Amino acid sequence: GAGVSQSPRYKVAKRGQDVALRCDPISGHVSLFWYQQALGQGPEFLTYFQNEAQLDKSGLPSDRFFAERPEGSVSTLKIQRTQQEDSAVYLCASSLEGGLPLHFGNGTRLTVT
Amino acid sequence: GDSVTQMEGPVTLSEEAFLTINCTYTATGYPSLFWYVQYPGEGLQLLLKATKADDKGSNKGFEATYRKETTSFHLEKGSVQVSDSAVYFCAAIYNQGGKLIFGQGTELSVKP
């Protein structure tokens, strides 16, 4: 595709619900990153894939957060039993072979009520 | 740990004013440095970058110089326009292929 595509654009979840956020990276991009951006803050790293391998998940805030990229293309970030503090914009970015530049999607704004 | 710190906003300027947004980074190794911009309703876009000391990145009239002695990468523009209103993020990568570390962002509002 022309750019990194994320869906849904907006998601409202009740506390305790599970959510799944999707990222379609640019075709052929090997590296894929997930970031969390709280209101008024800079993006914080969550996890990194190279193809289907999750090479770094040090930024995932709890075991309720899980990410996968089973075929090395589309990735899904899943949050179980959502809490209010999970409310944020979740950004996906991709690049060729871990290099630069990183191309960001427009993000998914998650609101937990 | 590694971190990036930038001046707090919001910054409000009149059109054609001079802009400086300060950014400093922790001096662990020799990171590559970036400025990203986020226009209202849009995703993050790379504005400019510098990969080694004394490099100057520039784009759309914006400039930033990689200063190793002061661990800084301040963003400057000589004459801002209303269309420059956005949130600006300073960021660093400390390892090849590693993760971007962002500052907290500085909101710029330019009034006509």
Side-chain angles (χ1 to χ4, degrees):
Chain A
V4 177
S5 177
Q6 292 187 245
S7 61
R9 187 72 191 269
Y10 302 94
K11 177 69 179 177
V12 179
K14 291 188 176 169
R15 191 161 57 92
Q17 282 185 329
D18 297 349
V19 298
L21 312 180
R22 178 187 169 105
C23 173
D24 274 280
I26 293 173
S27 179
H29 277 194
V30 168
S31 297
L32 186 146
F33 296 80
W34 282 98
Y35 283 82
Q36 180 191 57
Q37 185 177 14
L39 188 64
Q41 300 297 314
E44 297 272 349
F45 170 80
L46 292 177
T47 187
Y48 161 56
F49 290 86
Q50 188 164 322
N51 293 307
E52 68 278 6
Q54 190 173 17
L55 299 185
D56 186 347
K57 54 182 181 179
S58 62
L60 296 176
S62 78
D63 59 8
R64 296 186 295 104
F65 286 70
F66 173 76
E68 60 183 5
R69 194 185 184 197
E71 297 178 359
S73 177
V74 171
S75 178
T76 304
L77 176 67
K78 298 179 179 177
I79 309 173
Q80 298 177 322
R81 305 182 303 282
T82 52
Q83 303 295 315
Q84 281 195 310
E85 62 263 28
D86 300 335
S87 296
V89 175
Y90 290 85
L91 298 170
C92 178
S94 70
S95 71
L96 287 169
E97 297 281 355
L100 298 166
L102 273 183
H103 297 265
F104 281 86
N106 286 346
T108 294
R109 182 178 296 278
L110 173 65
T111 302
V112 181
T113 61
Chain B
D2 298 324
S3 66
V4 174
T5 303
Q6 58 184 106
M7 66 187 281
E8 290 190 19
V11 173
T12 302
L13 295 173
S14 297
E15 207 164 22
E16 298 183 4
F18 184 85
L19 169 71
T20 300
I21 300 178
N22 291 338
C23 170
T24 56
Y25 62 92
T26 51
T28 307
Y30 301 95
S32 295
L33 301 173
F34 307 83
W35 278 99
Y36 277 80
V37 59
Q38 191 170 35
Y39 297 104
E42 298 184 18
L44 280 166
Q45 300 173 28
L46 179 64
L47 181 60
L48 54 84
K49 66 177 183 180
T51 56
K52 61 183 188 297
D54 300 324
D55 268 3
K56 177 186 282 188
S58 61
N59 186 25
K60 299 181 182 179
F62 291 89
E63 292 183 340
T65 301
Y66 191 141
R67 301 279 188 206
K68 182 166 169 281
E69 62 277 11
T70 54
T71 63
S72 65
F73 192 55
H74 303 323
L75 182 68
E76 296 182 336
K77 186 173 186 182
S79 176
V80 293
Q81 306 300 312
V82 172
S83 57
D84 293 326
S85 298
V87 182
Y88 292 82
F89 294 92
C90 187
I93 286 184
Y94 285 82
N95 302 302
Q96 175 65 26
K99 60 196 180 202
L100 267 176
I101 296 173
F102 286 88
Q104 71 269 37
T106 302
E107 182 180 0
L108 171 66
S109 178
V110 181
K111 306 296 185 187

